């Protein structure tokens, strides 16, 4: 993924108003992110514990999505799998992230959900740059490039549902 600026990020959102995009908290460490290892930029809002944001490149343009997830977490013994990177986590390591749909459907309250790593570090888990605290990644026969393509395809399938 290419390096993003705060303005790139704020102007990319498809499921919130310009005012909401202007007010959201953007990460302050953009210059320190491992951009070459990211398929998308994801972060949690420190001021709103139930909100996260995701920005990715799609068909030559940036697409930003505001996400919400429940504050309640599952028990430590419960294990869940991320639908994007297929990493398993115990406890609250995977959450149902919901995004308001783009356009009129979103203004009517329609949304789409996807189980994702709560820390939004899917790209790093796939590449082995980050290891889940108490979960795991299964041994796969796919190459790293194929795993990255699958994770990106899973994310894009979710994004496509925001427009329908």
């Amino acid at each position: 993924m290419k390096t993003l600026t705060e303005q790139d990020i704020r102007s990319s959102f498809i499921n919130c108003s310009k005012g909401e995009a202007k007010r959201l908290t953007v990460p302050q460490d953009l210059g320190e992110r491992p951009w070459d290892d990211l398929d998308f930029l994801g972060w949690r809002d420190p001021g709103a514990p139930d909100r996260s944001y995701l920005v990715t490149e799609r068909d030559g343009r940036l697409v930003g999505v505001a996400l919400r997830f429940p504050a309640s977490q599952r028990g430590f013994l419960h294990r869940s799998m991320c639908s994007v990177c297929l990493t398993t986590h115990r406890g609250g390591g995977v959450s149902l992230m919901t995004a308001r749909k783009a356009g009129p459907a979103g203004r009517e309250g329609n949304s789409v959900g996807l189980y994702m790593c709560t820390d939004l570090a899917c790209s790093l888990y796939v590449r082995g740059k980050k290891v889940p605290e108490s979960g795991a990644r299964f041994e796969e026969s796919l190459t790293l490039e194929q795993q990255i393509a699958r994770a990106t395809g899973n994310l894009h399938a979710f994004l496509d549902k925001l427009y329908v």
Side-chain angles (χ1 to χ4, degrees):
M1 181 166 199
K2 69 176 187 163
T3 304
L4 301 179
T5 66
E6 182 176 338
Q7 183 56 39
D8 292 335
I9 293 168
R10 291 189 189 283
S11 62
S12 70
F13 284 88
I14 61 166
N15 68 338
C16 62
S17 70
K18 288 183 181 181
E20 290 170 318
K22 186 177 180 181
R23 291 187 300 272
L24 64 85
T25 304
V26 174
Q28 298 300 308
D29 64 347
L30 293 176
E32 301 165 18
R33 297 284 174 137
W35 295 104
D36 292 338
D37 293 324
L38 297 179
D39 303 308
F40 64 88
L41 172 65
W43 72 100
R44 293 180 66 174
D45 189 332
D50 65 336
R51 292 186 192 178
S52 291
Y53 306 99
L54 182 146
V55 177
T56 190
E57 296 175 62
R58 179 67 198 241
D59 298 327
R61 69 182 192 103
L62 289 177
V63 176
V65 179
L67 302 163
R68 289 188 178 262
F69 61 96
S72 63
Q73 301 296 330
R74 294 185 170 150
F76 183 75
L77 296 177
H78 185 86
R79 186 180 297 265
S80 299
M81 181 182 283
C82 173
S83 298
V84 174
C85 65
L86 305 186
T87 300
T88 61
H89 296 269
R90 285 191 181 152
V94 171
S95 295
L96 176 62
M97 303 280 185
T98 58
R100 188 171 59 205
K101 286 187 153 202
R107 289 190 289 277
E108 292 175 11
N110 295 327
S111 62
V112 177
L114 179 73
Y115 284 95
M116 290 184 70
C117 296
T118 304
D119 63 2
L120 299 168
C122 300
S123 301
L124 300 178
Y125 291 125
V126 168
R127 289 167 173 81
K129 305 277 180 170
K130 187 170 184 178
V131 179
E133 287 182 29
S134 57
R137 287 203 33 89
F138 294 104
E139 292 271 338
E140 296 193 64
S141 59
L142 297 177
T143 66
L144 177 59
E145 290 77 23
Q146 291 170 325
Q147 292 178 50
I148 292 169
R150 179 185 59 207
T152 303
N154 291 342
L155 178 62
H156 288 178
F158 170 69
L159 295 175
D160 290 345
K161 292 176 184 176
L162 296 176
Y163 294 104
V164 179

